[in-house]
Amino acid sequence: RGDENSAVFDFVIPRGDTGVCEDCHKTPEFLSAYSTPAQPGTSGGRLVFDLNGASNGTAISHAVNSTDIAISQTGYYFVTFHGTLAPAKKTDFPLAIILFLHQNGSVVPGTDVQHTFHTSAEVANVAFSQIIKVDTVPTVLRIVSQGGNFLYSGNNMTVQKIADLQ
């Protein structure tokens, strides 16, 4: 607008949505389960989590002293695991122990952790983190071992819902 000697500028300041944030008031969904005393593990066995830590919401549950973490809402979840492994007594070396996250009985890619023990004095810390898609409920998560007899302690698995399915 205006003329060649006197220009007039019309500025418009953009505004964001004025609606309500739907995700701002959702209850965070998370659960932490852990094991404290050393427990024996065997090839093909499941790790037991004897206690629950922090939890919130109803989408994720775990019964104390059990192997299974249950998810009752579809979505994307962030799963972390860490723990300590040691060879059991009277073990033949080398001893390779592998742990996997199973989702409804199938191995979740990218969640295998392994350590090969060469002496009875060794201890290994193992950990993984992975995002999983839950499109069928209920879904059951568990840690399954492979390789031989071992001890595990100080294990923790935390599951957090990070997004709804789109």
Side-chain angles (χ1 to χ4, degrees), residues 72-95:
S72 61
Q73 294 177 9
T74 61
Y76 292 96
Y77 290 79
F78 184 62
V79 180
T80 61
F81 170 82
H82 67 85
T84 303
L85 307 177
K89 294 182 189 268
K90 299 181 182 178
T91 297
D92 292 329
F93 296 99
L95 171 65

Side-chain angles (χ1 to χ4, degrees), residues 81-86 113-115 117 122-127 153-155:
F81 170 82
H82 67 85
T84 303
L85 307 177
V113 290
Q114 176 179 337
H115 184 80
F117 295 95
E122 285 182 77
V123 174
N125 294 311
V126 294
S153 63
N155 293 333

Side-chain angles (χ1 to χ4, degrees), residues 61-78:
S61 61
H62 170 259
V64 170
N65 285 318
S66 74
T67 61
D68 298 353
I69 293 179
I71 298 176
S72 61
Q73 294 177 9
T74 61
Y76 292 96
Y77 290 79
F78 184 62

Side-chain angles (χ1 to χ4, degrees), residues 1 7-15:
R1 294 185 331 156
V8 175
F9 296 99
D10 286 332
F11 289 101
V12 177
I13 299 174
R15 296 180 189 245

